[in-house]
Amino acid sequence: MTAGGSTADEGARLRAEASKGWWRTVLRWCGINANDRRLDAAAVRQEQGSLGEQQTAALLARLPAGWTVFHDLAVPGRRFNLDHVAIPPSGAGVIVLDSKKWHAGWPTTLVRGRVHCGRQDRHQQIVKFAGYVSGTAAALGMPAGMLMPVIVVHGSPVAGGRLDVAVPEWERTVHVLAADQLVDVLAGMPGGRGPVQPAAAALADRVRRTLPQYGSAA
């Protein structure tokens, strides 16, 4: 499945659900079906999320030779999916990336240790993602410290281009990056350039064997 595929599918499902049935169509036309409005709003969020994932995938395709990148992976036994997983040529670890498409007119900032987009507190999304990464480490049978959580923000300008956010609940630091910083940050990290090492090939094989494409897991 391509990047954003499962998110786009969910958006289409929600739109179909909102428009199902003659009477619901009449109510929606009259503007009095609150449930359908909620479904439409959820569909828009899914569609925006899918677009963000596609934009991140296009950026990851610009990484130097030697990187291995996966999109839209499932974690067996868990209900979440991973937008993107990237392995540097050094094989020093696994980068797990989550794409966000936030309001372009609102800056993303850190307020007393919590991530905000404009006036909206988005910190729970950061905490939830850190939990996803910890669950992924357990599934892969790897120390949590070998996985690097990265949230890629499209639209909203990130203060300073990058926020390093402590998540004490998971003893993790989540890196919140402006989309235009992503390639430089990953390529510039230790081991981000150079020939593919055996450790990188082994990690890529572990990911392939452990994390199936979302929607294809048994």
Side-chain angles (χ1 to χ4, degrees):
M1 184 174 286
T2 58
S6 63
T7 310
D9 289 347
E10 178 63 9
R13 185 193 70 78
L14 289 167
R15 284 204 179 278
E17 181 68 18
S19 62
K20 190 183 298 180
W22 173 83
W23 183 239
R24 295 179 67 180
T25 300
V26 172
L27 290 175
R28 187 182 57 172
W29 180 79
C30 294
I32 60 175
N33 194 321
N35 183 59
D36 284 355
R37 289 199 296 273
R38 285 193 293 269
L39 287 170
D40 278 337
V44 169
R45 288 194 296 271
Q46 292 291 330
E47 290 160 359
Q48 287 296 302
S50 175
L51 180 58
E53 291 174 41
Q54 293 170 37
Q55 291 172 331
T56 298
L59 291 171
L60 292 172
R62 293 167 45 193
L63 285 168
W67 281 80
T68 303
V69 179
F70 303 89
H71 306 290
D72 211 1
L73 299 182
V75 180
R78 308 281 181 153
R79 298 183 64 180
F80 58 83
N81 71 305
L82 306 175
D83 291 350
H84 321 274
V85 171
I87 299 168
S90 64
V94 175
I95 295 92
V96 181
L97 304 104
D98 193 60
S99 296
K100 301 294 185 187
K101 194 167 181 64
W102 288 348
H103 198 295
W106 299 347
T108 294
T109 58
L110 205 56
V111 180
R112 294 185 292 278
R114 298 181 66 85
V115 173
H116 284 65
C117 180
R119 294 183 178 180
Q120 294 184 352
D121 187 323
R122 302 290 178 92
H123 195 72
Q124 192 54 40
Q125 296 180 39
I126 311 301
V127 173
K128 184 182 292 188
F129 177 57
Y132 290 172
V133 175
S134 292
T136 302
L140 290 170
M142 296 171 57
M146 286 191 67
L147 277 70
M148 177 180 174
V150 175
I151 287 181
V152 185
V153 177
H154 299 270
S156 170
V158 177
R162 172 176 180 168
L163 303 174
D164 296 325
V165 186
V167 183
E169 297 93 322
W170 294 99
E171 299 182 350
R172 308 303 300 268
T173 297
V174 175
H175 308 283
V176 179
L177 297 180
D180 61 5
Q181 299 293 310
L182 177 63
V183 174
D184 287 344
V185 168
L186 295 188
M189 63 187 292
R193 297 181 185 272
V196 178
Q197 300 300 313
L203 274 182
D205 183 62
R206 182 180 295 199
V207 169
R208 290 189 187 96
R209 288 186 288 105
T210 307
L211 308 177
Q213 284 285 294
Y214 192 75
S216 66

